[in-house]
Amino acid sequence: MELGLIGNCSVAALVDPHATINWFCLPRFDGDPVFHSLLGSGTKNPDDGAFSIEVEGFKSAEQAYIPNTPILRTLLHAEGGVVEVTDFCPRFEARDRAFRPRMIIRRIRPVEGWPRIRVKVRPRFDWGKTEPKVTYGSNHVRFVGSREVVRMTTDAPVDHVLSERLVTLDRPCTFVIGPDETLQEGPAEIGERFMLDTQRYWQRWSQRLAVPFDWQDAVIRAAITLKLCNYEQTGGIVAAVTTSLPEAPGSERNWDYRYCWVRDAFFTVRALNSLAATRTMENYFQWLMNLVADARGGHIQPVLGIGLETDLREWQAENLPGYHGMGPVRVGNQAHEHFQHDTYGHVILGAAPAFFDQRLQMTAGEHAFRLLEDLGEQAWALHDQPDAGIWELRSRARIHTSSSLMCWAACDRLARIAARLGLRDRAGYWRGRADVIHRKILEGAWSEERQAFVESFGGRTLDASVLLMGEVNFLPPTDPRFGATVDALSRTLGRGPHMLRYEEADDFGVPEVGFNICAFWRVDALARIGRVEEAREYYEELLGARNGLGLMSEDTSFETNAGWGNFPQTYSMVGIINGAMRLSRSWESQL
């Protein structure tokens, strides 16, 4: 999907190649999309639900980020000249704390000639159902909804903006979209200062990343994107900033990913931590420990709101037709009702680095360990019980190999943490339980017929999630069963560099597109078993599935290489980082 992401760890927006802001939720990632034309206008006018810039005599456009920042520049070439549109969400340190307002700043300037433009600012509320009441002054417009008020402050003529008149762009102008608050400075001054401060913040942040020698641009862009998916006020990390972008054309596999899956968030934090971006891990650890305290040793659902909300009841926004008319548009996610036993392992995996990483400002000690032990007891009790599995199947339950694997990881990491804390009796206790689960997985998940580990105990179908055995160090890469599983999965699920999730039909039929993170799991597995050149070849091809700005969707079409699914997908961006860290040549070998 040719879309650019801007954000600041409070809000995020998407910008298309023609500089239209077509997705922006308020008051946070999971809120009402006041700009929503990505999923249709909800009216007869396709411009509703968007902030667009029309250029008379349009010829072409080009788009790029300012290097090592999420500040996006779009050049619109027209018969009358060239227009530059710069979009960003302010983010920098002020008064010893992060300044990240719920705000978009859009700067428009003529680069060449005398181009004529038409500005259309058309937010709507309540998932496109409600046209705002509009009030305005000499330099601002207020769009009043039932629960939210959006203020646009500008140094462009307000009358021309409201009338959507075609005018000559003879000087720069700035638009500040955000809370219903009066600016203390003029839009141009704020736009200039906030942009310089935001650029400085991100370039310094990127400068501190411990990047690999190869594929640095891809890794830095992936790292920035992952950080933008972190809601810093609570520490929650969304799986994507969108809802209901279909996994395949007309598939109705349209889900709301604007929430925090414990599983996805763990991989996000681990990828950023590998680059020495530890602050996100600290924030997420606090989110996790609040989750653990709330659970009181009981059930933990696999997905929660970014503010730890547990009720994510799923419903359909009937007013919006969906991406290119491919509905439904879903709000909320039924997965919050599921029992996914891998969740306990992912919580403990996500928390474990806090007990070992001495760079962190926080300390995780015995009290935190005791809280995690309650989750370990849940993992032990459920390691051989049926669940919905990693892919959140809605109509069947089995003893999924990946779920049992993560229950093993929960016990294994508790044993390691206990040893770190000098709690020898607890270390022995959890090591014993981990060993029992380990034996059960080897016996129950291995199929002699398929010569591979299969998706469930006693099953026979293949599932890419068993590749996580390598990621969590369940088996050494030299184990012939792991190598045989990689080969079997490649033969059955591989489509060139891409991978299906599984071979069996699910609630919506047989999957039609490659699930990007599965392809990256195969890259990692191939590298682990020594087939590095093959892994590098696949990795390079997968990088070709990114859009022109270096971002990646959840899924990729085998035939067209087009991106499908919610965007940008944290899982996919994690794969970019992990692949580079695994496969890159070392700095020492090259310099």
Side-chain angles (χ1 to χ4, degrees), residues 232-268:
E232 279 188 345
Q233 291 201 43
T234 64
I237 300 168
V238 295
V241 302
T242 58
T243 178
S244 303
L245 297 182
E247 293 180 12
S251 65
E252 295 192 13
R253 299 174 188 264
N254 300 8
W255 316 115
D256 191 349
Y257 277 9
R258 302 169 304 145
Y259 309 110
C260 187
W261 271 259
V262 176
R263 178 190 313 116
D264 299 44
F266 157 67
F267 286 109
T268 296

Side-chain angles (χ1 to χ4, degrees), residues 45-220:
N45 194 321
D47 295 318
D48 287 343
F51 185 167
S52 58
I53 310 294
E54 292 183 5
V55 182
E56 185 180 45
F58 173 81
K59 292 162 59 175
S60 65
E62 55 190 281
Q63 203 169 49
Y65 284 110
I66 294 178
N68 297 350
T69 79
I71 302 173
L72 185 63
R73 278 185 172 150
T74 309
L75 289 178
L76 303 172
H77 298 265
E79 294 173 359
V82 180
V83 175
E84 179 190 73
V85 181
T86 303
D87 293 306
F88 69 99
C89 296
R91 168 64 199 249
F92 48 88
E93 299 297 320
R95 299 176 181 175
D96 295 323
R97 62 180 184 268
F99 178 71
R100 33 176 161 68
R102 294 176 169 88
M103 177 184 292
I104 296 173
I105 295 181
R106 164 161 278 195
R107 307 177 76 197
I108 305 171
R109 71 180 184 95
V111 175
E112 184 181 304
W114 287 75
R116 285 167 61 79
I117 70 168
R118 189 191 316 274
V119 177
K120 296 181 178 180
V121 187
R122 297 187 180 181
R124 291 180 69 85
F125 297 94
D126 304 318
W127 292 85
K129 288 191 297 185
T130 304
E131 183 177 359
K133 177 182 178 182
V134 176
T135 66
Y136 61 95
S138 57
N139 294 102
H140 75 272
V141 180
R142 297 171 71 247
F143 302 94
V144 182
S146 57
R147 292 181 297 275
E148 197 78 35
V149 178
V150 176
R151 177 186 286 246
M152 179 188 70
T153 306
T154 182
D155 51 9
V158 169
D159 283 12
H160 289 339
V161 174
L162 290 174
S163 66
E164 299 180 352
R165 181 178 177 80
L166 187 67
V167 295
T168 299
L169 183 67
D170 58 356
R171 58 181 176 82
C173 55
T174 301
F175 295 82
V176 180
I177 302 277
D180 189 23
E181 300 170 357
T182 302
L183 299 183
Q184 300 304 309
E185 303 172 62
E189 291 77 15
I190 281 193
E192 176 71 16
R193 181 164 62 84
F194 281 12
M195 180 171 158
L196 289 175
D197 287 344
T198 298
Q199 181 173 336
R200 188 180 301 114
Y201 168 83
W202 285 105
Q203 290 179 339
R204 287 178 176 173
W205 184 85
S206 300
Q207 191 176 40
R208 293 192 294 268
L209 295 175
V211 297
F213 183 81
D214 295 316
W215 307 294
Q216 291 181 44
D217 287 348
V219 168
I220 292 170

Side-chain angles (χ1 to χ4, degrees), residues 493-549:
L493 304 181
R495 301 292 187 273
H498 305 293
M499 289 280 286
L500 290 167
R501 284 178 285 184
Y502 38 77
E503 62 178 328
E504 189 176 11
D506 61 18
D507 308 333
F508 295 84
V510 177
E512 307 167 49
V513 293
F515 198 71
N516 291 326
I517 190 58
C518 295
F520 285 116
W521 288 341
R522 176 172 62 165
V523 165
D524 181 81
L526 288 169
R528 287 175 186 271
I529 63 179
R531 290 154 60 176
V532 176
E533 289 308 312
E534 186 179 355
R536 285 178 70 95
E537 182 179 338
Y538 281 144
Y539 180 74
E540 293 275 9
E541 290 185 75
L542 289 169
L543 289 184
R546 297 173 300 156
N547 72 11
L549 293 170

Side-chain angles (χ1 to χ4, degrees), residues 5 29 224-231 236-241 568 570:
L5 173 70
F29 299 142
I224 290 172
T225 304
L226 291 181
K227 185 170 175 63
L228 293 180
C229 291
N230 174 213
Y231 186 70
I237 300 168
V238 295
V241 302
T570 54

Side-chain angles (χ1 to χ4, degrees), residues 285-298 300 308 347-348 351 367-375:
F285 180 78
Q286 297 300 330
W287 187 91
L288 274 182
M289 295 314 294
N290 279 314
L291 169 63
V292 171
D294 289 345
R296 300 181 183 275
I300 290 182
L308 292 166
V347 171
I348 294 171
H367 176 70
F369 169 72
R370 298 293 183 183
L371 289 174
L372 293 177
E373 281 197 297
D374 289 339
L375 302 193

